Amino acid sequence: MKEVLGSPGTKSGLMLRLGQCLFAAASIVVMVSASSFSSYTAFCYLIASMGLQVLWSFGLACLDVYALRAKRDLQNPILVSLFVVGDWVTATLSLAAACSSAGVVVLYSRDLLDACTTSIPRIPCAKFQISVAFAFITWFFYSNVFSCDVLDFGSI
């Protein structure tokens, strides 16, 4: 069977999963460190989505570590279809959360003139922007993994 770059049970797949996990965790940490993030539904949705993403990515990274250490093949059709569906669901949720949060950030930082600097209490727009950027980077990792999963599923 042909090994696809980034497929489950490979070193490249492990690196992609760790990247997903780290950037999703960074998005959560930066967002939680911003005051009043819980006042905005989109940011709460981003936290929930990134939390699910951390759990999913960490679980699959652990599975990749196990497969690499035990020299096990994860290229079985049932497992790969589970990875495809799970990655599709989490990628869709994370993209929706990142886009909705980005919309709120753009509204406050660009559309409402000086809302980030003159409002009382001050809105921490820079932290919101960094958190959303991390969420989009996480989604970028997911798009790569999802593409690899689909290619891998086609080669089984």
Side-chain angles (χ1 to χ4, degrees):
M1 180 179 311
K2 185 172 95 172
E3 184 177 304
V4 178
L5 186 70
S7 62
T10 63
K11 288 181 184 178
S12 59
L14 176 63
M15 292 300 118
L16 285 171
R17 295 291 178 190
L18 289 176
Q20 291 170 347
C21 193
L22 291 175
F23 278 103
S27 178
I28 291 171
V29 168
V30 172
M31 184 62 75
V32 169
S33 72
S35 61
S36 74
F37 81 91
S38 61
S39 301
Y40 306 98
T41 306
F43 297 152
C44 292
Y45 177 50
L46 181 71
I47 294 293
S49 173
M50 292 296 115
L52 176 66
Q53 200 158 18
V54 166
L55 293 173
W56 176 257
S57 298
F58 183 73
L60 292 181
C62 290
L63 188 62
D64 283 341
V65 167
Y66 166 74
L68 288 169
R69 293 190 85 178
K71 298 191 184 342
R72 300 285 306 242
D73 186 22
L74 296 180
Q75 306 304 316
N76 127 5
I78 294 172
L79 272 179
V80 173
S81 63
L82 175 71
F83 297 153
V84 168
V85 171
D87 283 337
W88 176 73
V89 168
T90 51
T92 302
L93 288 174
S94 68
L95 181 62
C99 288
S100 64
S101 297
V104 172
V105 168
V106 167
L107 174 70
Y108 281 110
S109 64
R110 302 264 169 96
D111 295 340
L112 299 177
L113 299 175
D114 297 325
C116 295
T117 56
T118 60
S119 67
I120 306 285
R122 190 167 174 272
I123 300 170
C125 291
K127 287 186 178 182
F128 293 158
Q129 290 171 344
I130 292 168
S131 178
V132 169
F134 283 150
F136 276 112
I137 292 169
T138 304
W139 181 81
F140 177 73
F141 278 112
Y142 258 109
S143 65
N144 287 335
V145 168
F146 182 70
S147 299
C148 294
D149 285 347
V150 170
L151 288 173
D152 199 30
F153 188 67
S155 68
I156 292 180

